[in-house]
Amino acid sequence: QQQVRQSPQSLTVWEGETAILNCSYEDSTFDYFPWYHQFPGESPALLIAIRPVSNKKEDGRFTIFFNKREKKFSLHIADSQPGDSATYFCAASRGQGTGSKLSFGKGAKLTVSP
Amino acid sequence: AQTIHQWPVAEIKAVGSPLSLGCTIKGKSSPNLYWYWQATGGTLQQLFYSITVGQVESVVQLNLSASRPKDDQFILSTEKLLLSHSGFYLCAWSLENTLYFGAGTRLSVL
């Protein structure tokens, strides 16, 4: 049972556009929502994360929007660059120190065309 | 600073042959350690996790086993590889809710 669902599976945008990647989850007790990115041939790395005490988290060009009522969260990449081309995984877990319980989505491949 | 090292970088193995993959972490005492598997183009599937020496929890059954012989070492193994074992194997440690992955081992089973 997929606890975290991602859409779209792949996305192509032009350089300078905003890329939007979406996730939804089932378990209302989830309280930690990270995004990881993985460049071709490399291992995943944490990009940005949010806890539902707020509905928005920004880090430079990357923003998470969180909607607790609809159990959805999204990653917006502003001013997309070719170097942002990667696979992005959303994930969710509950509680503190629960790296062992992260549920990952299936991933979304982003291609930024120059 | 913590560093995580996986070995080997890549393996090509025959179906039915044994396998041993290793992972060591330096700069972190008593880390929580994990093994993940990723099929080509696929999601991240947790296989095992360990919170202390000698203790390993299995998350999915894939005819694989794991051991933690030392505080800083995590081993993934099987006596008999299947074609379905091909993929990218990632060792990771966690701090709070964040996973930090090693560079991974790419396994091809032929």
Side-chain angles (χ1 to χ4, degrees), chain A residues 2 32 36 38 41-46 51 89 93-102 104-107, chain B residues 32 34 36 38 41-46 49 59 88 90 94-104 106:
Chain A
Q2 191 74 22
Y32 175 71
Y36 284 73
Q38 183 178 27
E42 297 185 9
S43 54
L46 178 68
R51 288 194 179 275
F89 293 94
S93 66
R94 72 181 71 81
Q96 288 286 345
T98 53
S100 66
K101 296 180 175 61
L102 272 173
F104 283 93
K106 291 188 175 182
Chain B
N32 291 346
Y34 312 86
Y36 277 81
Q38 185 179 35
T43 190
L44 299 158
Q45 173 65 62
Q46 190 181 123
Y49 72 91
V59 178
F88 195 34
L90 293 154
S94 65
L95 177 63
E96 296 296 326
N97 294 75
T98 300
L99 285 171
Y100 297 91
F101 291 92
R106 204 161 294 277

Side-chain angles (χ1 to χ4, degrees), chain B residues 2-3 5 13 18 20 24 27 32 34 37 50 56 59 63 68 74 76 87 104-105 107:
Chain B
Q2 297 84 8
T3 59
H5 174 61
K13 304 279 280 187
S20 181
T24 56
N32 291 346
Y34 312 86
W37 173 75
S50 171
V56 176
V59 178
N63 293 307
R68 188 159 174 186
F74 206 17
L76 182 71
T105 295
L107 175 67

Side-chain angles (χ1 to χ4, degrees), chain B:
Chain B
Q2 297 84 8
T3 59
I4 183 166
H5 174 61
Q6 285 189 244
W7 74 91
V9 172
E11 279 268 43
I12 300 175
K13 304 279 280 187
V15 169
S17 63
L19 174 77
S20 181
L21 305 180
C23 169
T24 56
I25 179 169
K26 300 298 182 186
K28 180 84 171 83
S29 62
S30 303
N32 291 346
L33 295 175
Y34 312 86
W35 279 109
Y36 277 81
W37 173 75
Q38 185 179 35
T40 301
T43 190
L44 299 158
Q45 173 65 62
Q46 190 181 123
L47 302 175
F48 300 94
Y49 72 91
S50 171
I51 62 172
T52 192
V53 174
Q55 184 176 338
V56 176
E57 299 294 330
S58 174
V59 178
V60 293
Q61 290 298 323
L62 286 180
N63 293 307
L64 296 167
S65 60
S67 64
R68 188 159 174 186
K70 301 178 184 178
D71 186 55
D72 64 352
Q73 196 173 79
F74 206 17
I75 305 296
L76 182 71
S77 60
T78 183
E79 293 186 357
K80 209 172 195 180
L81 278 166
L82 307 173
L83 283 174
S84 58
H85 286 138
S86 293
F88 195 34
Y89 288 84
L90 293 154
C91 181
W93 64 281
S94 65
L95 177 63
E96 296 296 326
N97 294 75
T98 300
L99 285 171
Y100 297 91
F101 291 92
T105 295
R106 204 161 294 277
L107 175 67
S108 296
V109 182
L110 306 176

Side-chain angles (χ1 to χ4, degrees), chain A residues 33 48-68 72-76:
Chain A
F33 304 91
I48 187 172
I50 192 169
R51 288 194 179 275
V53 291
S54 62
N55 56 19
K56 182 180 176 181
K57 176 80 175 287
E58 282 182 274
D59 185 356
R61 297 186 293 109
F62 302 92
T63 303
I64 299 177
F65 291 93
F66 181 79
N67 186 321
K68 187 174 183 178
K72 293 180 178 179
F73 59 109
S74 60
L75 176 68
H76 292 223

